[in-house]
């Protein structure tokens, strides 16, 4: 389990994040188990246009033809034409992983609706989602606050902590990662005094304010250790190894025990961090 999708139900229903293209059948199957057949979903809300969050959107849009699709203006063109997205990801992840992810289908432009910071989606029965622009991981990144519940669907505004390898790790990919913006977004989330986070990587996190604090700390620690290693002449690969080992040590495990998906996460995050520091 590396990426989660969340179904939010009022009178109407919204799906926040939807996994890779290869996740489409799982999502459809799980929705069917909850009684949602074709056309019975009202909103599709990708937090941002990375393949693990919106890869299945084009396929799902064809099944759920009534669903309104909301996206930040900067992400819109990538959903209508995912070719740039695909090319950029292929350079980072390589052929084998791209086959596993699956190639996203384009979304009909007419279905896409631009959303802005502060927009509210009223699902009825007192369930309201407020759109919160949380750039940093990506410039067009959106989170959703569940109003009145002190709960947040964070998307990748918050770091990763996989159930199979439960250690907090920043997600700071190229080309758009920006540390200042990430920290500002975290501060913005913290200012709402959240209790619960629903995170894509992975699941429910209680004690949300403490989790924000730990995220901020981990970003500062990464910044100084990556800067130090760059000064020593380390390349991206050496830095990734060192930080993977560091995370494994914190978990009380040997570096060799890190699963592939975790190594990939650290590698991509290190590349993004280095690129940001070079700017
Ligand atoms: Zn992402």
């Amino acid at each position: 389990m590396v990426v989660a999708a969340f179904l939010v139900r009022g009178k109407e229903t919204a799906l926040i994040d939807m996994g890779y293209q290869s996740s489409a059948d799982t999502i459809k199957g799980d929705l069917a188990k909850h009684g949602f057949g074709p056309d019975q979903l009202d909103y599709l809300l990708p937090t941002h246009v990375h393949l693990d969050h919106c890869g299945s959107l084009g396929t799902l849009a064809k099944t759920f033809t009534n669903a309104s699709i909301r996206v930040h203006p900067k992400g819109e063109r990538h959903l209508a034409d995912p070719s740039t997205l695909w090319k950029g990801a292929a350079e980072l992840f390589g052929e084998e992983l791209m086959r596993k992810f699956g190639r996203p289908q384009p979304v009909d432009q007419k279905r896409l609706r631009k959303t802005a910071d502060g927009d509210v989606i009223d699902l009825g029965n007192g369930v309201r989602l407020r759109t919160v622009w949380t750039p940093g991981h990506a410039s067009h990144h959106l989170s959703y606050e569940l109003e009145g519940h002190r709960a947040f669907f964070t998307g990748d505004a918050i770091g990763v902590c996989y159930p199979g390898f439960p250690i907090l790790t920043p997600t700071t990919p190229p080309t758009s990662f920006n540390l200042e913006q990430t920290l500002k977004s975290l501060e913005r989330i913290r200012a709402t005094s959240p209790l619960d986070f629903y995170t894509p990587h992975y699941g429910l996190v209680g004690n949300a304010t403490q989790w924000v604090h730990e995220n901020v700390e981990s970003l500062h620690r990464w910044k100084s250790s990556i800067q130090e290693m760059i000064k020593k002449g380390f390349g991206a690969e050496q830095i990734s190894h060192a930080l993977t080992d560091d995370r494994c040590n914190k978990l009380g495990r040997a570096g060799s025990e890190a699963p592939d998906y975790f190594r990939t996460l650290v590698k991509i995050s290190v590349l993004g961090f280095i690129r940001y520091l070079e700017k």
Side-chain angles (χ1 to χ4, degrees):
M1 290 186 293
V2 293
V3 58
F6 294 99
L7 182 69
V8 188
R9 302 174 75 163
K11 218 167 155 186
E12 294 186 313
T13 49
L15 186 68
I16 300 179
D17 282 334
M18 52 243 21
Y20 296 103
Q21 162 60 20
S22 53
S23 321
D25 286 343
T26 306
I27 297 260
K28 281 196 237 177
D30 284 353
L31 284 171
K33 270 185 227 159
H34 287 91
F36 293 91
D39 301 335
Q40 292 177 312
L41 198 61
D42 300 292
Y43 294 93
L44 287 162
L45 307 175
T47 54
H48 61 301
V49 303
H50 288 164
L51 295 181
D52 52 335
H53 295 259
C54 75
S56 68
L57 182 61
T59 304
L60 294 180
K62 285 179 189 149
T63 302
F64 299 100
T65 52
N66 297 325
S68 171
I69 303 167
R70 305 292 174 95
V71 63
H72 187 278
K74 278 189 188 167
E76 187 187 22
R77 70 189 170 94
H78 294 294
L79 295 180
D81 174 11
S83 57
T84 312
L85 214 59
W86 180 256
K87 200 168 156 261
E91 280 164 20
L92 282 177
F93 293 100
E95 247 175 61
E96 194 190 331
L97 275 178
M98 294 305 280
R99 257 197 307 277
K100 280 190 190 163
F101 297 166
R103 190 170 192 130
Q105 302 282 311
V107 182
D108 182 356
Q109 182 97 36
K110 290 197 285 291
R111 299 278 306 276
L112 297 170
R113 207 164 136 203
K114 291 185 190 124
T115 190
D117 187 53
D119 281 354
V120 172
I121 297 171
D122 191 343
L123 297 176
N125 294 344
V127 180
R128 288 159 58 90
L129 291 169
R130 187 169 66 90
T131 310
V132 184
W133 182 44
T134 45
H137 173 85
S139 61
H140 63 277
H141 190 282
L142 301 171
S143 303
Y144 288 93
E145 182 185 6
L146 187 60
E147 283 193 342
H149 291 266
R150 294 173 66 187
F152 247 87
F153 296 90
T154 61
D156 285 344
I158 212 90
V160 164
C161 188
Y162 294 122
F165 206 73
I167 184 87
L168 174 62
T169 305
T171 174
T172 59
T175 55
S176 55
F177 167 64
N178 179 301
L179 179 62
E180 281 76 28
Q181 286 187 345
T182 302
L183 293 171
K184 268 189 206 156
S185 292
L186 285 169
E187 187 44 50
R188 207 174 163 203
I189 293 172
R190 177 171 27 206
T192 67
S193 308
L195 292 173
D196 293 320
F197 285 151
Y198 294 90
T199 74
H201 315 288
Y202 185 96
L204 174 65
V205 175
N207 207 355
T209 305
Q210 176 62 21
W211 200 237
V212 171
H213 174 72
E214 288 178 32
N215 269 265
V216 171
E217 294 284 296
S218 72
L219 285 159
H220 285 309
R221 267 200 310 274
W222 265 41
K223 184 187 176 191
S224 46
S225 45
I226 291 173
Q227 274 175 327
E228 232 169 77
M229 285 189 265
I230 290 173
K231 261 190 219 150
K232 285 183 191 161
F234 283 27
E237 203 167 317
Q238 278 171 298
I239 297 174
S240 299
H241 275 301
L243 290 177
T244 303
D245 285 350
D246 167 72
R247 298 287 74 196
C248 290
N249 284 341
K250 285 262 164 13
L251 254 187
R253 300 196 196 170
S256 56
E257 290 178 61
D260 285 345
Y261 59 81
F262 185 79
R263 285 181 190 286
T264 303
L265 163 73
V266 175
K267 184 183 119 187
I268 302 295
S269 288
V270 164
L271 288 174
F273 228 117
I274 291 175
R275 195 184 156 115
Y276 159 77
L277 291 170
E278 282 170 352
K279 272 182 194 164

